[in-house]
Amino acid sequence: MSTLLWIVILPLLASVLVTTVRQWQRSYLALAVAAFPALALLLLLPMGSAIYSGEVLRYQLQWLPMIGLNFSLQLDGLSFLFSLLILCIGLLVILYARYYLSAQDSMVRFYAFLMLFMFAMLGVVLSGNLLQMWFFWELTSISSFLLISFWSQQGDARKGARMALTVTAAGGLALLAGIVLLGQITGSYELAVVLTQTEQLQQHAAYPVVLALVLLGAFTKSAQFPFHFWLPNAMAAPTPVSAYLHSATMVKAGIFLLARLYPLLSGTELWFLAVTLAGLTTLLVGAYFALFQHDLKGLLAYSTISHLGLITLLLGLDTDLAAVAAIFHVINHAIFKASLFMAAGIIDHETGSRDMRKINGLWKYMPVTATLAMVASASMAGVPLLNGFLSKEMFFTQTLHQGVLGSLSWLIPLLATVAAIFAVAYSARFIHDVFFNGEPIGLTKTPHEPPRYMRVPMEILVALCVLVGVFPQWFIGDLLSQAAVAVLGGAAPEYSLALWHGLNIPLLMSVLALAGGIVLYINRKHLFVFQAGFAEQPAIYRFENVLQRFVQRCRSLTAAIDNGRYQRFAGLMLVLVLWLCGAPLLELASLQGNRPTLPLDMLVLAGAAILCIAAIATVLTIRQRLLSLVMISVVGLMVSLAFVRFSAPDLALTQLSVEVVTVVLLMLALYFLPHKSVKQSSPGHLVRDLALATGVGVVIGSLAFAMLTQQTDTISGYFLQNAKTGGGGTNVVNVILVDFRGFDTLGEITVLGIAALGIFKMLTGIPRFMSGADGEGRRWALDSHPLLLAVVSQALLPLALLVSVYIFFRGHNMPGGGFVAGLITAVAMILQYVAQGVDWVKPRLKVEYSTLISLGILCATITGLASWLFDRPFLTSWFDYFDLPLVGTVELASAMAFDLGVYLTVVGSTLLILANLGKVTTRYRPVHKEQS
Amino acid sequence: MELVMAIVIGVLTSCGVLLVLRAHTFAVVLGLTMLSYAVNLFIFASGGLTAGKGAVLGVTDIYADPLPQALVLTAIVIGFAMTAFLVILAIRARAELGNDHVDGHSGSRQQQESRF
């Protein structure tokens, strides 16, 4: 079913493509954007017949099957319903936004974000894999952040967006933790599998943790108390965004998650209690505060919170029918709330204000809009013949048939009625305050009807309110029952969507709510006075305060650890090393392991003594830098000899050549750096450093001894056995480098190349400075390049190159290889620079070293890619033997091409570094005698 | 022999740490070079010591552990790249800031600011 994939992808395509057209006229732009979701809708609708017959459509792409990561989509009743809502309301919002946005607003940016959000939302509802769903979930948070902060020049838009992102993304992280736990317990992230593991999960000890984490995610997203505060602040978004995100889709994602995982998580005492209480509190808090909002959108925002609470409460009640009612209310709320937001947007657009204390008596100016808005708010209040009434009636019925709070369960219908009274009151306020109640006060424009097509989306939605309200079964009967089947994970319970159920208690509750609400609204003055007694700081300031205090804390904590001094920080790190490596040693009874030790011989002892003395001398002479450099090169030499002694000829060769290059490099560096350190550390400082150094040395030395004397099983046997048969070489070290672990080597030469290029960049444009003399005040030698060295080095070059070729080719079977050969070549070349100077070498050697690096990495990569031609994984090696006349049997291996890449990169990098540094010295070098 | 190796690694580490904690860039560069020697020997030692053999098939009867050798071989080359990068960074810092202190200035921040 790749059609499913297209449904998800189409909005993303729209989001990307819309950014390529900047000059289009607004209407064409809106049309072009709308074409994508419209097409997606056309693809989705024919699937309805399959869905209605109870099928679940799936689509799966293998990604990382070994760790359970697949790209999987599934369409069942629930996701079909949500996809419909997302696409249909999305289309209406596209049309609406075309008229809502002003000429200054970037339509392209708006539509790009909106389509990105639609993509994310479709991804959430269609995902068949929990981790994938989480990815889309976070994408909705991010894209909604972009949409809320669309008018980023306004401070409250930025703050509101930040708050929404902080709350929902933090919840998202909790959700991720919950999903990972869920995956660990049930053994899969595929919804189809996970949803069958109800018993296993609910009996698991970690079930309460999973539930808490998942609920955190859902409650933050769906603005449930106490996380509801972000939603009113998100009203700084353009109204089409509020109509789409904050009524129909994003805030319903939390509800969707609860519904999706309903068969898995619900049914326990804990679920009923947590979900019911959160829903009930939110229902009441939202309804109460909605009444006191003066901002039109603020009223709608709190009302949305309240309705989301109602849906959550329904999902928390312990009857199957409650879940059906929840789904039903999701549909109804999306329809009437989106149209109300659109009405608020139209009023804002045509009057220039959203303050209900200013906008009054609009009935005279915009009768059509007023009628539409009144019908929608009547639906919000739960007036009969409208869709809001039906689901509210179902809600009342279910509150009477539950027992989640034990003997206190009677409280729920009572509090539901109280909330409904407030709902009627704030709906009445929306109607009466805005459209009647005298004349407008202090408006900047004269209100009038909006452009014809701006009203169309509202008209469609309000028509749906009435149609669903009168013919519920005919309009959404099938849709609802299939969604209910998906939520409940079995057959849908018996229910009737009829308008009239006879005289019963729910009807009485409705009547009570309507009458009570009107009475409450008429007497609202007293309540307003009471509420004014709480001089509360707006949530946004409190939130920003908390956030800023938190950031301040983090800053001072960072400052306490890192005061910007390198020495202190390096010291702290080393203390940590000391602790981490030293503490486990305390638990070890003896360092000496059971591995037989090698007998001591005098040669090694002498070598070690020289090495240690040279190392200590390096430290002691550090203030005479040249001397110190000589000492450290002795250390390097002894290390190479140690490699020779302990059976590592490859390492010895490499270390030796690197040593040469390093010394040349450091000599060059001394030209630019002071030759003596002037400042001496204070004695206290020195003692502290000495103590730390000794401590680290002792711990690392002990660790080394413990490791050396321990008998261990290594994986090297595998390499030794397979080097010849699998890699075609007898030098196992080289075979590991170019074959077994070729991918690592590829990474390493890439790093080498990057380092060289970084150095090249750092050296270009270095400010002009030069020390004219060495540390003792002696001027630089003015001799030209010594003749003897020049002659010898020229004679040596072909020999050295020959050696490096030899080393390169024998590398696969004998010590050598690309690394060593590259270094030898580099050393031979550097000798030319040293003996003759950059000016002499440059015209004679027309090689761009950076090109050499790229060629090397390219060569290695292409060798790796070539194995794809033979349907093998990246870097699969190949080798064979050929009989050539005169030469004899010759082995050809793909590893050689790879090693050539290594060779080229090493040569290129080394020379790029040294030749460029040398060039900088030449730029400011003293003038030679014979030239002056 | 193992004891000697361990002592060498310990001494190299100590000297390296002491140098790394100095205030001048050149000393830090030398210190890191010294630490690279120590680390390379340490990783090399993780395969155990084998005297006078090798990791070439068919030449000797027993073989040294080839894996640490392969690791250390690339580590030596990368270590050189790192040293070079650091040296050039030190040179550039000296050129831009006029001193070779590791913090780019020798006084505390307040002193530094008051000087301008």
Side-chain angles (χ1 to χ4, degrees):
Chain A
M1 285 304 289
S2 60
T3 331
L4 270 182
L5 184 65
W6 278 109
I7 293 173
V8 179
I9 295 281
L10 275 167
L12 179 67
L13 275 183
S15 170
V16 174
L17 290 180
V18 76
T19 55
T20 59
V21 288
R22 299 218 160 256
Q23 311 300 331
W24 284 19
Q25 216 201 320
R26 292 153 68 88
S27 300
Y28 291 134
L29 193 67
L31 260 177
V33 170
F36 289 86
L39 186 58
L41 190 62
L42 284 180
L43 290 175
L44 181 71
L45 284 176
M47 295 180 182
S49 54
I51 298 298
Y52 290 152
S53 62
E55 266 184 72
V56 178
L57 306 174
R58 289 181 210 285
Y59 173 75
Q60 217 175 42
L61 271 179
Q62 299 271 308
W63 181 31
L64 293 173
M66 57 283 249
I67 54 168
L69 279 183
N70 296 318
F71 183 81
S72 89
L73 299 174
Q74 75 166 47
L75 185 74
D76 60 1
L78 184 66
S79 35
F80 183 70
L81 165 68
F82 270 87
S83 308
L84 269 185
L85 280 179
I86 293 163
L87 288 169
C88 293
I89 298 187
L91 277 169
L92 297 179
V93 166
I94 291 172
L95 173 62
Y96 178 78
R98 145 78 188 83
Y99 293 97
Y100 180 84
L101 293 176
S102 69
Q104 289 92 37
D105 300 324
S106 164
M107 295 275 274
V108 168
R109 197 156 64 94
F110 182 83
Y111 281 138
F113 291 163
L114 194 72
M115 288 297 106
L116 182 68
F117 172 78
M118 186 186 271
F119 162 66
M121 204 59 215
L122 283 171
V124 169
V125 300
L126 289 175
S127 281
N129 181 301
L130 280 172
L131 285 173
Q132 178 196 334
M133 180 200 283
W134 178 81
F135 166 80
F136 284 111
W137 177 280
E138 290 297 68
L139 194 60
T140 61
S141 292
I142 293 167
S143 52
S144 85
F145 169 79
L146 294 171
L147 281 167
I148 297 171
S149 62
F150 181 71
W151 286 321
S152 54
Q153 66 275 19
Q154 295 171 3
D156 57 343
R158 291 196 303 269
K159 288 200 190 89
R162 197 158 59 213
M163 188 193 236
L165 182 67
T166 314
V167 176
T168 54
L173 288 182
L175 176 62
L176 176 63
I179 285 178
V180 170
L181 265 179
L182 204 58
Q184 294 290 322
I185 294 170
T186 58
S188 172
Y189 291 104
E190 288 296 313
L191 266 177
V193 182
V194 173
L195 290 184
T196 59
Q197 310 278 321
T198 312
E199 220 154 278
Q200 196 188 342
L201 175 74
Q202 297 194 349
Q203 264 144 38
H204 199 277
Y207 168 73
V209 185
V210 174
L211 184 66
L213 289 168
V214 170
L215 288 185
L216 258 179
F219 287 175
T220 47
K221 199 77 161 181
S222 283
Q224 294 298 297
F225 184 84
F227 309 109
H228 63 288
F229 55 88
W230 68 265
L231 187 58
N233 288 296
M235 290 300 126
T239 306
V241 174
S242 310
Y244 193 35
L245 272 64
H246 304 133
S247 68
T249 53
M250 191 180 89
V251 290
K252 298 274 170 64
I255 305 285
F256 171 80
L257 184 74
L258 292 182
R260 180 91 288 176
L261 299 180
Y262 190 82
L264 185 66
L265 294 175
S266 78
T268 61
E269 199 66 16
L270 209 56
W271 163 279
F272 290 133
L273 213 60
V275 178
T276 305
L277 286 182
L280 190 62
T281 321
T282 315
L283 169 69
L284 285 167
V285 167
Y288 178 76
F289 283 104
L291 184 58
F292 301 104
Q293 303 302 311
H294 297 305
D295 177 10
L296 215 49
K297 278 177 78 180
L299 185 151
L300 293 178
Y302 276 100
S303 144
T304 304
I305 292 174
S306 168
H307 282 274
L308 290 169
L310 189 154
I311 300 169
T312 308
L313 171 59
L314 276 171
L315 285 172
L317 296 182
D318 54 358
T319 62
D320 283 355
L321 272 175
V324 179
I327 303 298
F328 191 24
H329 200 66
V330 165
I331 308 172
N332 293 335
H333 177 254
I335 296 173
F336 68 69
K337 195 49 73 62
S339 67
L340 281 173
F341 268 112
M342 287 177 181
I346 290 175
I347 292 167
D348 185 13
H349 203 252
E350 306 308 337
T351 64
S353 172
R354 291 192 328 231
D355 192 331
M356 277 186 280
R357 287 164 298 190
K358 289 184 182 171
I359 39 175
N360 302 314
L362 293 186
W363 168 260
K364 265 182 291 186
Y365 303 96
M366 38 173 78
V368 182
T369 310
T371 313
L372 292 171
M374 284 192 283
V375 174
S377 35
S379 173
M380 174 162 78
V383 172
L385 291 182
L386 296 168
N387 61 350
F389 169 74
L390 291 176
S391 44
K392 203 158 246 188
E393 198 79 338
M394 272 174 102
F395 164 60
F396 287 147
T397 314
Q398 292 316 309
T399 57
L400 294 169
H401 290 105
Q402 46 75 35
V404 284
L405 295 186
S407 60
L408 288 180
S409 298
W410 60 271
L411 268 173
I412 294 181
L414 181 74
L415 292 173
T417 316
V418 171
I421 290 174
F422 274 95
V424 172
Y426 67 66
S427 303
R429 182 165 181 222
F430 189 93
I431 296 173
H432 181 251
D433 243 7
V434 175
F435 298 111
F436 306 100
N437 200 20
E439 279 295 307
I441 304 161
L443 290 185
T444 48
K445 321 181 186 179
T446 313
H448 56 83
E449 284 285 349
R452 178 71 197 90
Y453 288 102
M454 191 171 181
R455 224 170 46 206
V456 167
M458 235 186 115
E459 285 164 358
I460 295 175
L461 289 169
V462 170
L464 275 174
C465 282
V466 179
L467 289 173
V468 173
V470 181
F471 310 106
Q473 183 58 45
W474 195 81
F475 258 88
I476 52 166
D478 287 343
L479 195 60
L480 183 60
S481 69
Q482 281 314 315
V485 167
V487 172
L488 296 169
E494 281 296 312
Y495 62 90
S496 120
L497 280 180
L499 196 53
W500 177 252
H501 286 111
L503 283 172
N504 53 16
I505 304 179
L507 189 66
L508 180 69
M509 287 163 81
S510 280
V511 172
L512 236 141
L514 281 171
I518 302 294
V519 173
L520 179 68
Y521 177 68
I522 293 170
N523 298 306
R524 67 189 181 281
K525 291 262 156 35
H526 308 291
L527 211 54
F528 270 73
V529 170
F530 169 73
Q531 187 58 26
F534 301 95
E536 250 196 277
Q537 221 185 353
I540 191 95
Y541 294 116
R542 270 181 292 155
F543 179 77
E544 286 284 315
N545 266 339
V546 170
L547 210 61
Q548 270 170 17
R549 258 201 312 248
F550 180 66
V551 170
Q552 201 55 46
R553 283 276 157 75
C554 292
R555 282 220 183 101
S556 47
L557 185 67
T558 312
I561 297 168
D562 175 16
N563 61 353
R565 313 287 298 188
Y566 157 80
Q567 282 167 290
R568 177 188 158 93
F569 202 68
L572 279 177
M573 295 255 284
L574 286 165
V575 170
L576 193 67
V577 168
L578 196 62
W579 180 51
L580 285 178
C581 297
L585 282 181
L586 294 178
E587 290 165 22
L588 207 62
S590 154
L591 285 179
Q592 178 84 45
N594 49 4
R595 184 186 165 116
T597 52
L598 295 176
L600 194 62
D601 71 57
M602 286 320 282
L603 198 65
V604 171
L605 204 59
I610 297 175
L611 196 153
C612 291
I613 291 168
I616 293 165
T618 311
V619 177
L620 292 179
T621 56
I622 188 64
R623 299 198 315 119
Q624 286 125 347
R625 295 183 171 182
L626 190 61
L627 202 56
S628 192
L629 181 53
V630 173
M631 289 304 158
I632 203 171
S633 61
V634 173
V635 177
L637 207 63
M638 295 316 292
V639 171
S640 331
L641 289 179
F643 287 140
V644 175
R645 181 74 182 91
F646 295 111
S647 327
D650 287 278
L651 292 191
L653 281 171
T654 316
Q655 181 72 55
L656 202 60
S657 3
V658 162
E659 206 46 46
V660 174
V661 185
T662 309
V663 169
V664 173
L665 173 83
L666 289 176
M667 292 282 278
L668 277 171
L670 271 185
Y671 180 79
F672 294 95
L673 294 172
H675 299 252
K676 288 194 163 182
S677 314
V678 197
K679 199 180 159 228
Q680 200 168 10
S681 307
S682 66
H685 211 122
L686 208 59
V687 168
R688 209 181 59 198
D689 290 353
L690 259 173
L692 190 55
T694 317
V696 174
V698 166
V699 165
I700 299 293
S702 313
L703 215 56
F705 184 72
M707 187 175 70
L708 275 166
T709 52
Q710 214 65 36
Q711 190 74 54
T712 44
D713 283 333
T714 69
I715 53 170
S716 301
Y718 171 82
F719 296 117
L720 288 167
Q721 275 162 21
N722 292 290
K724 181 71 179 163
T725 48
T730 52
N731 181 8
V732 187
V733 177
N734 184 268
V735 175
I736 290 176
L737 283 176
V738 297
D739 196 330
F740 291 126
R741 310 295 309 163
F743 208 10
D744 294 354
T745 310
L746 181 61
E748 272 146 359
I749 58 173
T750 312
V751 171
L752 192 64
I754 292 170
L757 290 176
I759 288 167
F760 178 65
K761 187 78 194 82
M762 264 201 290
L763 280 174
T764 44
I766 191 164
R768 185 192 171 90
F769 85 102
M770 186 194 101
S771 46
D774 75 349
E776 257 108 59
R778 291 174 299 212
R779 295 194 52 78
W780 296 113
L782 293 179
D783 291 337
S784 180
H785 300 286
L787 185 65
L788 196 60
L789 185 60
V791 172
V792 171
S793 70
Q794 274 187 50
L796 268 179
L797 181 64
L799 285 176
L801 290 181
L802 199 66
V803 169
S804 76
V805 170
Y806 170 67
I807 292 271
F808 177 82
F809 277 110
R810 71 175 217 155
H812 214 44
N813 293 313
M814 299 295 279
F819 275 110
V820 184
L823 285 165
I824 292 176
T825 308
V827 170
M829 297 304 304
I830 286 161
L831 193 61
Q832 303 307 306
Y833 280 101
V834 172
Q836 313 274 4
V838 176
D839 296 340
W840 187 87
V841 180
K842 203 157 174 35
R844 289 170 179 77
L845 187 75
K846 293 194 180 60
V847 181
E848 280 290 331
Y849 297 129
S850 45
T851 318
L852 215 55
I853 298 176
S854 346
L855 275 179
I857 296 176
L858 209 62
C859 183
T861 314
I862 288 176
T863 312
L865 289 178
S867 49
W868 282 359
L869 291 181
F870 305 96
D871 264 342
R872 296 289 166 81
F874 187 64
L875 271 174
T876 309
S877 66
W878 162 93
F879 66 93
D880 209 345
Y881 300 90
F882 298 92
D883 282 317
L884 290 183
L886 295 177
V887 189
T889 306
V890 170
E891 182 196 353
L892 277 181
S894 64
M896 280 187 175
F898 185 81
D899 220 10
L900 181 66
V902 173
Y903 171 82
L904 289 175
T905 314
V906 170
V907 172
S909 305
T910 316
L911 288 177
L912 186 71
I913 295 167
L914 287 172
N916 275 292
L917 187 56
K919 209 159 67 188
V920 179
T921 62
T922 326
R923 212 164 7 131
Y924 310 122
R925 64 145 179 243
V927 182
H928 288 305
K929 260 182 197 161
E930 63 267 52
Q931 289 167 346
S932 58
Chain B
M1 208 92 101
E2 277 76 6
L3 186 64
V4 177
M5 186 63 148
I7 290 173
V8 165
I9 292 174
V11 169
L12 282 177
T13 312
S14 282
C15 293
V17 166
L18 198 58
L19 286 174
V20 160
L21 289 173
R22 298 301 89 207
H24 294 280
T25 48
F26 190 72
V28 174
V29 170
L30 289 192
L32 280 176
T33 313
M34 195 88 91
L35 277 180
S36 308
Y37 294 145
V39 170
N40 287 344
L41 281 179
F42 188 87
I43 296 173
F44 174 64
S46 69
L49 295 184
T50 318
K53 306 289 181 186
V56 176
L57 298 178
V59 179
T60 50
D61 46 348
I62 54 166
Y63 302 113
D65 195 337
L67 191 59
Q69 294 197 18
L71 290 177
V72 173
L73 201 149
T74 46
I76 293 173
V77 182
I78 295 276
F80 165 68
M82 184 200 70
T83 309
F85 195 85
L86 206 68
V87 163
I88 310 296
L89 197 65
I91 292 175
R92 179 91 202 211
R94 163 108 201 272
E96 300 274 356
L97 304 167
N99 66 61
D100 71 333
H101 195 276
V102 282
D103 294 331
H105 55 82
S106 44
S108 72
R109 264 193 199 141
Q110 282 78 15
Q111 282 172 355
Q112 189 72 14
E113 275 155 15
S114 64
R115 220 183 295 162
F116 293 109

